[in-house]
Amino acid sequence: MHGFGCGGLALLALLPLTACAQDLWCGKVYTAGTPEIIPGGRLEPPKPSTTPLLDLQVTPRHSIYVGSEEKAEFIVDATLSYIHGTPYLLAVPNGTYGGNASDILFFTIETEGRVLVSDTIVVNKTNKLLEFDLAQLTPRMSAYQIDLSATSRLDESKYTVSTELFFLPDKTVGSVVKVDNLYGSLLYRNEATRGSFKPVFPYGFYADYSGYLNVSNANVEAYASKGFNAINPVADFTDGNMTLTIDRMDELNLLFQYDMRNSFQNLTSVAEQVPLVKDHPSLLTWYTADEPDGWVYNLNSTKLTYDLLVSLDKYHPTALVLNCQNYYYAEYSSGADIIMEDAYPVGINATYSRKWNTPVNETYGDAGCDNCVGSLLDVPYRIDDLYSYQKWIGGAAARKPIWAVPQAFSGESYWERDPTPAEVWVMDMLAFNHGAKGRFAWIYPPSDMLVGAASQLAQVVTVSPVMDFLTGANPVFVQDDKHGLDVSYWSLGAQVLVGIVNPRNTTASPVQINLPDAFTGLQVESEPWGEVGWSLDGSSLIADNSLAGLATSYVLLN
């Protein structure tokens, strides 16, 4: 992926030859002398309503539950919105309530005539968790339709919304992986977890299979020894028998994403591959389309494969990566539970293609990073864009997790140099600050220097305490207008993790980050990552010294 040979991708030998017949990337022509085509496919924000809407949603906390589990939860949202929902007559145009009292909805959640939950929610409240007993249901492969019926306390207006709940028979062989829809993180269970679901923050690389992993299992072992807990071998069983490699990953509990980029559009082939993979203990996720928006694959291609995978294996989620900044996002993203982005900004010329000798803009050309400016901030900008698109689509899409695919390579006349170690850390931590719930860089093995840099951070973000925050909370962004720092925090019980990134090459001094007043009284417990030194004055986090360009830091408050 990830790089673009004839319009696309590094490691050209990994690509199907038919991919090179095109001269479009993200719907744009990129070869000199080719007439410009204005690409369509832009997802635009929905036209806002002139009056507030009630966007009532009910979502299972986990994407699946299995027969050995006793309890489950629903997430209920009663958001006031101007783009999704049904008319809410008790709100005035600025989104506040008429009268003096806040409205409350009385609601029940039921399935097939059986009430699972009865409760109330204040209008404009989100993420209300409601536990129920799974003993009321029988595990089965088909989904339960879940219906929420609500009544307004103030005017007795009625509202209804539906979703699906998967309560599956227990799986006794291999792994089971689910998405936590509250935080976007993954929970997995296999022999290594002793039957319990454990959170995981996947941190690793796409890895060359034929030229590296398949050479010797010693390479698999060396990879795992660096602290990487997940891997995406760039191959599938149509390329050869991967059993020995996967068996070793099982033994190491090295979680893998199974990559069908070269075969996912052949549904017969996909159906033949699934039984070879689905019962391995180290299977984390399926991976189907690699930059389908860049290659301009059929708009329904990802959804067709996704529907087939769900019919064959409901115990693992599906991921894909999108390369374009905004090209038929709704259509391509409908074919996955996890959306990955791969903005590669290091060493590019964002306005002129050295490879094709053409200008690059929003409607023409290919610079190696679609609609980028050539800054490390292109990574969080892209993640923010994708989360915005998902909110525009609404419903279940609004909760889909996003993973980052940062750059760990150079070449192909697009990227003049590799990222530095500091730039690797900046891109990773910017992604995490903006809500990325996993990370697979392109591609392994990179230079020894980049392996070492990624290994250092892997050994922090994949284990407690940092992993607990990244998987068990959502980041809250903190605005820093003075120095242009990128700051987010995660709250977990009485503790707070603060992520600080200086994304620029200029030193910031003095540095004072104003956190919420509620943090007054906390103390700096440790700095799990970085060498800055911090103290807390009231609710202000203050650096002991200046913050160097491209500095990164995690600070744990207690």
Side-chain angles (χ1 to χ4, degrees), residues 30-49:
Y30 57 82
T31 52
T34 307
E36 181 180 23
I37 299 173
I38 304 299
R42 286 187 61 85
L43 183 65
E44 301 291 348
K47 183 179 179 180
S49 168

Side-chain angles (χ1 to χ4, degrees), residues 62-64 166 177-181 184-186 257 284-288 302-303 305-307 309-310 313-321 329 332-340 387 390 396-403 437:
H62 294 164
S63 57
I64 60 171
F166 281 100
V177 182
K178 56 170 73 177
V179 178
D180 180 344
N181 287 316
S185 52
L186 294 188
Q257 180 162 267
L284 182 68
T285 48
W286 302 106
Y287 182 81
T288 56
T302 63
K303 186 63 163 60
T305 307
Y306 176 78
D307 289 344
L309 283 170
V310 170
D313 175 37
K314 293 179 172 64
Y315 295 91
H316 300 91
T318 296
L320 57 74
V321 72
Y329 181 86
Y332 289 122
S333 67
S334 68
D337 305 296
I338 299 162
I339 308 302
M340 306 172 76
Y387 274 125
Q390 292 178 179
R399 292 188 177 272
K400 282 188 182 181
I402 291 172
W403 290 2
K437 295 297 181 175

Side-chain angles (χ1 to χ4, degrees), residues 185-446:
S185 52
L186 294 188
L187 299 156
Y188 81 104
R189 188 193 75 181
N190 61 14
E191 293 176 0
T193 70
R194 299 180 180 179
S196 299
F197 282 98
K198 301 292 186 183
V200 60
F201 189 82
Y203 187 100
F205 285 80
Y206 292 83
D208 180 8
Y209 180 76
S210 61
Y212 182 72
L213 297 178
N214 195 37
V215 172
S216 170
N217 271 346
N219 289 336
V220 179
E221 296 155 9
Y223 177 95
S225 72
K226 304 295 184 183
F228 306 128
N229 64 353
I231 191 169
N232 180 321
V234 184
D236 62 32
F237 271 92
T238 66
D239 301 307
N241 191 337
M242 302 176 67
T243 301
L244 291 178
T245 302
I246 295 177
D247 285 348
R248 188 64 184 124
M249 291 191 289
D250 289 342
E251 294 165 356
L252 296 168
N253 198 36
L254 176 59
L255 304 178
F256 74 95
Q257 180 162 267
Y258 183 71
D259 190 328
M260 293 182 282
R261 71 181 63 206
N262 291 337
S263 58
F264 85 95
Q265 296 186 82
N266 183 336
L267 299 185
T268 300
S269 176
V270 171
E272 292 170 346
Q273 292 177 63
V274 168
L276 303 176
V277 181
K278 67 182 180 66
D279 292 329
H280 276 278
S282 57
L283 176 61
L284 182 68
T285 48
W286 302 106
Y287 182 81
T288 56
D290 189 86
E291 301 176 331
D293 50 347
W295 294 111
V296 196
Y297 290 151
N298 289 337
L299 295 181
N300 66 348
S301 60
T302 63
K303 186 63 163 60
L304 290 173
T305 307
Y306 176 78
D307 289 344
L308 175 61
L309 283 170
V310 170
S311 73
L312 298 174
D313 175 37
K314 293 179 172 64
Y315 295 91
H316 300 91
T318 296
L320 57 74
V321 72
L322 297 179
N323 180 261
C324 308
Q325 188 256 342
N326 188 350
Y327 188 67
Y328 290 104
Y329 181 86
E331 289 81 0
Y332 289 122
S333 67
S334 68
D337 305 296
I338 299 162
I339 308 302
M340 306 172 76
E341 64 76 30
D342 62 350
Y344 300 142
V346 176
I348 68 166
N349 184 331
T351 60
Y352 191 84
S353 175
R354 292 183 290 257
K355 185 177 182 71
W356 303 104
N357 295 316
T358 64
V360 175
N361 53 48
E362 289 192 355
T363 60
Y364 188 85
D366 174 12
C369 191
D370 188 48
N371 292 344
C372 294
V373 298
S375 160
L376 300 178
L377 290 167
D378 284 319
V379 173
Y381 291 163
R382 183 62 52 85
I383 292 171
D384 291 347
D385 284 345
L386 301 195
Y387 274 125
S388 293
Y389 303 157
Q390 292 178 179
K391 290 178 182 177
W392 297 349
I393 296 169
R399 292 188 177 272
K400 282 188 182 181
I402 291 172
W403 290 2
V405 182
Q407 180 179 346
F409 68 94
S410 59
E412 293 196 50
S413 301
Y414 289 113
W415 303 277
E416 286 193 321
R417 63 177 180 85
D418 282 1
T420 65
E423 288 172 329
V424 167
W425 299 328
V426 166
M427 286 189 288
D428 282 352
M429 289 183 58
L430 285 172
F432 307 156
N433 274 5
H434 288 252
K437 295 297 181 175
R439 179 266 201 199
F440 283 98
W442 183 267
I443 184 170
Y444 201 91

